[in-house]
Amino acid sequence: MPKLKKAYECKNCGHVQNVWAGKCPECGKWGSLIEKTVTKESQKAKNTSLTLDDSNQARLLSDIRVDESERIKSSYDEFDRAIGGGLVKDSVSILTARPGAGKSTLLLQLSASFAKKGIRVMYISGEESESQIKSRADRIIGDISKNIWILSTNSMDLAIREIEKRDVQIIILDSIQTFALAEFDNKQGSPTQSVECANKCVEIAKNPENKRAFIMVGHMNKTGEMAGLRTLEHLVDTVLVLDGESEEDLRMLTATKNRFGPTGEVGLFSMQEEGLIEITNPSEYFITERDESIEGSAISVMKEGTRLLEVEIESLVSKSFMPYPQRIGDSLRKDQLNTLISILQERAGINLFDENVIIKATGGLKLREQSVNLAIMVSIASSYLKKPIDNKTVFIAEVGLTGELKKVPQIRSRLKELERLGYKRAYIARNSVDKKDFKTLEIKDMKNIREVIGDIFS
């Protein structure tokens, strides 16, 4: 019979020890150790519990087949793109985002999409009542399929019973931090309960006789990371992040971990009254259509996963009447903006020491890639000099501290996409591509930022 013993677990980092202490020796937090009851099996019991299964033997890697039919595609191409081509039948995924970003809305829309394909789906919520979920479903789904079951509970034991009773194929847990197993004394949301509930999900999903797919919601903390132990991220197959500010329409679904496909793939959505709407043509969303050029606007190309996105960068330079001018960049880090301004001052002779500089990307897109450096600096120069830039001109280059233009990855594919879209001119770093490969796109390869500004505004 298993023996019961007392232990003390840190609710902050999950460290377990036999004696209580005021301060956790692992993370250093005070008053975080709480008492728990653990079951200790004897070594004899452990040995007898191990059974040898002749059907489970080592196999040659070359003999193992990958079946593409294991993926379940939804009606949302942007979701399928982000997750690697569709939801894998025996996978466990976790979706995290800030409160109000649209996690529950996206998962409810996915539930309806899978259910319309004849797949049995169970939506289990530990945060909302069944009537709240039904109210949202009436607003964003409309005609509700008979293949969707709803369960409102915090009991993981009850959830498992209903999953097996209804024999559903896709299960959505909203959220994993709100569920608890009866065999553990810890309260819901504790590291132990979250990890053990996730272990149960993995066990159910990986059953070879009845494969199921789980999508869990994970809370996000104030630092922008998923709450709880890193163990939770290691357990699951896919980690999805839904990024977007509550006041903006744009939502970006990104896979930061994916055992069944590439990481970094992005799905684009727009938050509307009727739910999340796919952005199938990013050019129309991120580029402002104008009849004439305007000062302070420059266009570049970013790479998100395998997708090329045109991005319009807008700058506003104004005189500062304060001792310290403001540097505001909604779409990039303030340190990066200050660095680019310093390069612009020292290497291009544009004095901004008493000027306010404000940067924004159309559509709220985050400027994470260094390939947009040149476009940012040119847009600032355009606003400062009060001279517009032709809206059929694109800037793709990283700018070093010396002011020199640096090559960016996959520049040829970016330029080919721009040529297809009808752009006329592109400024890039020297020796990046062969100009003969482009018929309608004029390639302007420059050495440094001073040459670029001189060529545009001369």
Side-chain angles (χ1 to χ4, degrees):
M1 182 177 179
K3 299 177 181 179
L4 297 179
K5 59 175 290 188
K6 296 290 184 182
Y8 298 89
E9 180 186 41
C10 176
K11 60 184 179 182
N12 183 52
C13 68
H15 171 72
V16 179
Q17 62 185 43
N18 294 329
V19 295
W20 183 86
K23 179 181 179 182
C24 174
E26 187 69 25
C27 66
K29 189 169 183 179
W30 288 90
S32 62
L33 291 176
I34 56 175
E35 186 177 308
K36 60 176 286 189
T37 303
V38 296
T39 303
K40 182 179 180 182
E41 293 185 2
S42 65
Q43 188 61 40
K44 182 178 179 180
K46 289 181 181 179
N47 291 337
T48 55
S49 65
L50 296 176
T51 58
L52 296 177
D53 186 1
D54 291 336
S55 64
N56 189 14
Q57 298 179 4
R59 298 167 60 191
L60 286 171
L61 180 60
S62 58
D63 293 342
I64 298 174
R65 293 188 305 149
V66 178
D67 190 356
E68 288 297 327
S69 65
E70 292 294 302
R71 287 193 181 272
I72 310 169
K73 291 186 179 291
S74 71
S75 59
Y76 295 95
D77 293 337
E78 294 298 309
F79 173 80
D80 293 340
R81 176 198 293 270
I83 207 167
L87 193 64
V88 179
K89 290 182 179 179
D90 60 347
S91 66
V92 179
S93 306
I94 190 162
L95 172 65
T96 184
R98 292 183 177 89
K103 302 183 296 296
S104 301
T105 299
L106 175 61
L107 293 177
L108 195 56
Q109 289 179 228
L110 288 172
S111 299
S113 173
F114 290 127
K116 286 180 180 179
K117 294 177 178 287
I119 299 169
R120 297 181 300 279
V121 182
M122 180 171 287
Y123 190 105
I124 309 172
S125 177
E127 298 179 342
E128 296 179 294
S129 65
E130 294 170 357
S131 60
Q132 285 177 303
I133 300 170
K134 179 64 164 60
S135 176
R136 185 190 295 114
D138 289 336
R139 176 172 56 87
I140 65 176
I141 296 176
D143 185 20
I144 301 174
S145 170
K146 296 292 185 181
N147 289 323
I148 303 178
W149 279 267
I150 298 295
L151 177 63
S152 179
T153 183
N154 297 116
S155 170
M156 192 65 194
D157 303 277
L158 175 60
I160 293 170
R161 189 192 73 187
E162 290 298 308
I163 289 168
E164 294 174 348
K165 180 180 177 181
R166 307 295 177 183
D167 192 25
V168 290
Q169 297 159 281
I170 296 177
I171 304 99
I172 293 171
L173 292 178
D174 187 8
S175 62
I176 190 63
Q177 281 89 359
T178 62
F179 287 90
L181 285 162
E183 61 182 292
F184 299 97
D185 294 336
N186 311 74
K187 64 179 182 179
Q188 62 192 41
S190 66
T192 299
Q193 285 287 9
S194 297
V195 171
E196 292 300 331
C197 288
N199 273 322
K200 282 289 184 182
C201 294
V202 173
E203 182 183 331
I204 295 170
K206 305 296 182 182
N207 183 0
E209 297 178 359
N210 191 359
K211 297 178 180 179
R212 295 184 173 100
F214 274 83
I215 305 178
M216 304 182 294
V217 172
H219 291 166
M220 180 178 280
N221 58 30
K222 60 183 179 181
T223 62
E225 295 183 347
M226 192 164 61
L229 301 176
R230 285 286 186 187
T231 308
L232 196 59
E233 295 182 49
H234 290 295
L235 276 174
V236 300
D237 300 307
T238 310
V239 178
L240 298 170
V241 179
L242 187 63
D243 192 17
E245 302 296 334
S246 56
E247 63 273 10
E248 299 280 353
D249 292 339
L250 179 65
R251 298 292 187 271
M252 294 181 64
L253 183 66
T254 310
T256 60
K257 173 190 175 181
N258 194 349
R259 288 175 179 159
F260 306 109
T263 58
E265 287 293 344
V266 173
L268 300 174
F269 296 88
S270 175
M271 176 61 81
Q272 304 295 332
E273 183 66 26
E274 60 272 25
L276 286 168
I277 308 300
E278 291 182 286
I279 300 176
T280 56
N281 189 349
S283 298
E284 294 180 357
Y285 193 87
F286 298 121
I287 302 295
T288 305
E289 292 187 9
R290 299 186 180 96
D291 296 330
E292 58 183 20
S293 303
I294 189 170
E295 61 192 40
S297 172
I299 296 174
S300 186
V301 177
M302 286 175 53
K303 191 169 186 298
E304 293 284 355
T306 58
R307 166 180 276 175
L308 295 174
L309 299 177
E310 299 165 78
V311 56
E312 179 186 359
I313 300 163
E314 297 177 340
S315 299
L316 179 62
V317 178
S318 62
K319 198 73 175 178
S320 175
F321 299 97
M322 303 295 289
Y324 301 100
Q326 295 188 40
R327 311 291 195 229
I328 302 173
D330 291 343
S331 302
L332 77 165
R333 293 181 293 106
K334 189 175 181 179
D335 291 345
Q336 184 182 355
L337 177 58
N338 284 328
T339 301
L340 296 179
I341 291 173
S342 298
I343 297 170
L344 201 55
Q345 290 184 158
E346 295 299 320
R347 306 302 182 186
I350 296 180
N351 294 319
L352 300 167
F353 64 93
D354 60 347
E355 304 281 349
N356 296 320
V357 180
I358 304 171
I359 294 287
K360 185 175 178 62
T362 303
L365 197 64
K366 298 299 181 184
L367 305 175
R368 298 185 178 94
E369 205 180 20
Q370 297 300 315
S371 63
V372 300
N373 283 359
L374 181 59
I376 293 172
M377 297 171 75
V378 170
S379 69
I380 294 172
S382 172
S383 180
Y384 175 77
L385 298 171
K386 309 299 182 189
K387 294 183 178 181
I389 303 169
D390 179 29
N391 54 16
K392 290 297 181 181
T393 301
V394 185
F395 305 88
I396 314 171
E398 180 183 350
V399 183
L401 296 179
T402 59
E404 295 171 305
L405 304 190
K406 313 285 187 180
K407 298 177 184 179
V408 300
Q410 299 178 331
I411 183 66
R412 189 177 183 279
S413 61
R414 300 179 199 233
L415 295 172
K416 281 293 184 182
E417 177 67 12
L418 292 171
E419 187 176 43
R420 185 186 67 83
L421 293 170
Y423 286 91
K424 303 300 182 184
R425 189 178 298 106
Y427 285 83
I428 62 173
R430 283 187 177 180
N431 302 320
S432 296
V433 293
D434 187 353
K435 296 181 182 181
K436 296 178 182 179
D437 294 340
F438 304 92
K439 298 178 180 178
T440 60
L441 183 67
E442 181 187 358
I443 305 298
K444 305 277 285 186
D445 50 354
M446 296 286 173
K447 183 179 180 181
N448 53 48
I449 183 64
R450 185 182 289 273
E451 280 190 9
V452 174
I453 292 176
D455 189 73
I456 299 169
F457 303 113
S458 60

